[in-house]
């Protein structure tokens, strides 16, 4: 029985979770609303807020469960990728706890945590190979999962991430930040065919979202020279058609890869997996292929410590604990490709779990 305390502080969500073996006992997440008035995440504000909240969130979690610190078997934290200042706050607390309690420290890759997030609510799920689309504010990855610890990256974005595209389009439409959820809400009832937006002609190994952003800008410059007040009446059709285009760009490569490779299941993960259209298109694809589709509840799609705890649990199960974890530095960049190699070297050169 391994009890893990996990800390997530890679961007602007402060989240902590307790996991016993693969079972989530509790999670506390605090979003940071103050970034909205700046139109994006302000790194300095984010790291200060983590500093203010993290320790008390951890203590609250332990107290509510009547747990002594000594009951913990390991401390996990998001080592990267993310905002360096934010990562450092989580890393410092995690290292302090691990050192004081003399327990193993596990530095988790945030992208891997998103990849395993569909398992938080179904800990024993084992439908591999699984084709997973992880889409967040910073990343867009289509991944072939042979197991939770062994994967192949099939496609990634050449420029903006999908969430960034949602947020930037929403910002231009005057919907605030983060605009993805607002754009989704405004799209309800709109006509997805009302406007057509250009889609890049790429193979199934790349995504690109910068073109659609520029098209929205040109469209608004032409129709609304001051770029400000897009009338409320125009928003549903604009949002629905943009959402339609963005989701289509995400789903088409997934569909093509699924038809060619025949996975046993599909999964969606990351903040953009909260999107209502992406969720329904994902489910429809699974139905057409006759395979299950795993989509986490929205709380486990956006940044959360439960997925960090699950990723750490998998590493602990396999004994993949980095010997020098206490002196590892947080990593602002830590691509999935490099992390796959890191895991192999921790496993003495072989694929972990095999
Ligand atoms: O995974 P996440 O919480 O943080 C990162 O690791 O980036 O993802 C945040 C992203 C933001 O871009 C946000 O706008 C987007 O997820 N998002 C959505 C929706 N909910 C969150 N995008 C489209 N539709 C939504 N319903
Ligand atoms: Zn994330």
């Amino acid at each position: 029985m391994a009890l893990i305390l996990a800390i997530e502080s890679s961007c602007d969500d402060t989240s902590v979770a307790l996991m016993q073996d693969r079972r989530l006992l509790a999670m506390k997440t605090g979003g940071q609303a103050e970034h909205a008035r700046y139109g994006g995440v302000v790194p300095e504000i984010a790291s200060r807020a983590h500093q203010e909240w993290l320790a008390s969130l951890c203590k609250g979690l332990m107290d509510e469960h009547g747990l002594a610190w000594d009951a913990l078997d390991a401390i996990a934290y998001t080592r990267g990728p993310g905002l360096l200042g934010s990562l450092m706050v989580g890393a410092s607390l995690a290292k302090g706890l691990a050192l004081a309690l003399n327990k193993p420290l596990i530095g988790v890759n945030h992208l891997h945590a998103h990849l395993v997030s569909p398992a938080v609510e179904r800990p024993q799920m084992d439908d591999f190979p699984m084709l997973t689309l992880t889409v967040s504010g910073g990343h867009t990855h289509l991944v072939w999962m042979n197991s939770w610890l062994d994967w192949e990256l099939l496609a990634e974005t050449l420029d903006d991430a999908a969430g960034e595209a949602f947020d930037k389009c929403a910002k231009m439409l005057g919907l605030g930040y983060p605009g993805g959820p607002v754009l989704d809400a405004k799209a309800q009832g709109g006509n997805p065919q009302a406007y057509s937006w250009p889609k890049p002609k790429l193979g199934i190994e790349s995504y690109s979202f910068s073109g659609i952003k520029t098209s929205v800008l040109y469209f608004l410059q032409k129709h609304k020279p001051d770029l400000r007040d897009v009338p409320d009446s125009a928003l549903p059709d604009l949002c629905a058609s943009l959402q339609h285009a963005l989701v289509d760009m995400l789903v088409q490569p997934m569909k093509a890869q699924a038809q060619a490779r025949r996975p046993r299941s599909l999964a969606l993960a990351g903040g953009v997996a909260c999107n209502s259209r992406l969720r329904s298109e994902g489910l429809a694809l699974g139905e057409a292929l006759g395979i299950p589709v795993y989509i986490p509840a929205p709380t486990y799609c956006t940044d959360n410590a439960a997925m960090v705890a699950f990723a750490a649990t998998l590493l602990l199960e396999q004994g993949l604990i980095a010997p020098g974890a206490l002196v590892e530095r947080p990593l602002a960049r830590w691509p999935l490709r490099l992390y796959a190699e890191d895991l192999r070297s921790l496993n003495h050169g072989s694929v972990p779990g095999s």
Side-chain angles (χ1 to χ4, degrees):
M1 298 279 273
L3 180 66
I4 294 183
L5 173 70
I7 295 171
E8 155 64 32
S9 70
S10 63
C11 190
D12 60 337
D13 290 303
T14 315
S15 183
V16 298
L18 273 173
M19 186 168 277
Q20 179 119 51
D21 297 319
R22 291 184 176 206
R23 194 165 61 89
L24 179 66
L25 300 183
M27 178 169 86
K28 283 179 186 284
T29 303
Q32 302 175 5
E34 52 274 48
H35 300 283
R37 71 181 145 119
Y38 299 101
V41 176
V42 183
E44 180 67 19
I45 293 179
S47 51
R48 279 169 192 259
H50 289 310
Q51 212 151 22
E52 198 174 328
W53 292 110
L54 257 184
S56 58
L57 281 180
C58 288
K59 185 164 180 340
L61 212 53
M62 298 297 285
D63 289 351
E64 277 169 31
H65 284 75
L67 289 167
W69 292 102
D70 211 31
L72 295 172
D73 294 298
I75 314 294
Y77 74 103
T78 303
R79 186 179 170 208
L83 298 172
L84 204 52
S86 292
L87 292 168
M88 282 171 76
V89 178
S92 307
L93 180 64
K95 286 179 181 183
L97 283 170
L99 201 60
L101 300 168
N102 194 23
K103 304 283 175 172
L105 178 69
I106 306 172
V108 168
N109 181 298
H110 181 79
L111 305 174
H112 184 228
H114 274 302
L115 271 184
V116 304
S117 64
V120 168
E121 294 157 291
R122 304 166 198 85
Q124 300 308 331
M125 181 243 283
D126 198 22
D127 287 347
F128 296 107
M130 177 186 295
L131 182 61
T132 303
L133 177 67
T134 54
V135 271
S136 69
H139 306 276
T140 310
H141 289 128
L142 184 61
V143 186
W144 184 259
M145 305 282 294
N146 292 311
S147 74
W148 294 126
L149 293 170
D150 175 30
W151 63 87
E152 187 190 338
L153 190 53
L154 299 182
E156 60 190 321
T157 181
L158 298 173
D159 41 52
D160 293 355
E164 211 176 333
F166 269 98
D167 291 342
K168 285 179 178 163
C169 291
K171 195 169 177 177
M172 286 188 270
L173 293 171
L175 303 180
Y177 177 88
V182 187
L183 194 147
D184 189 358
K186 296 274 181 201
Q188 305 304 318
N191 174 7
Q193 315 291 346
Y195 301 92
S196 70
W197 302 98
K199 291 180 203 150
K201 298 214 170 6
L202 296 167
I204 54 173
E205 283 161 18
S206 314
Y207 296 100
S208 168
F209 297 102
S210 57
I212 196 163
K213 189 181 67 185
T214 314
S215 311
V216 174
L217 180 68
Y218 288 164
F219 176 90
L220 290 174
Q221 277 174 342
K222 190 166 160 203
H223 296 277
K224 281 269 134 209
D226 65 358
L227 282 193
R228 262 162 230 270
D229 31 23
V230 178
D232 273 357
S233 56
L235 280 177
D237 283 354
L238 278 171
C239 291
S241 59
L242 277 169
Q243 179 159 286
H244 171 68
L246 288 167
V247 169
D248 199 48
M249 282 154 67
L250 287 168
V251 171
Q252 286 314 320
M254 188 176 199
K255 186 174 176 182
Q257 293 282 8
Q259 282 166 342
R261 293 176 172 242
R262 296 276 154 193
R264 275 185 64 205
S265 63
L266 301 177
L268 299 177
V272 182
C274 294
N275 183 267
S276 59
R277 189 172 182 103
L278 182 57
R279 291 173 91 89
S280 60
E281 294 271 313
L283 291 172
L285 180 57
E287 200 169 325
L289 296 167
I291 54 176
V293 185
Y294 299 111
I295 314 176
T299 336
Y300 306 119
C301 287
T302 48
D303 289 346
N304 68 88
M307 66 184 190
V308 178
F310 198 89
T313 300
L314 293 165
L315 297 176
L316 203 59
E317 283 174 2
Q318 300 292 321
L320 298 174
I321 306 296
L326 271 175
V327 292
E328 279 175 350
R329 289 192 206 152
L331 299 170
R333 274 182 49 74
W334 197 8
L336 266 181
R337 281 183 210 281
L338 285 187
Y339 183 57
E341 284 164 32
D342 292 347
L343 277 185
R344 266 170 221 200
S345 65
L346 269 180
N347 201 39
H348 312 291
S350 356
V351 172
S354 58

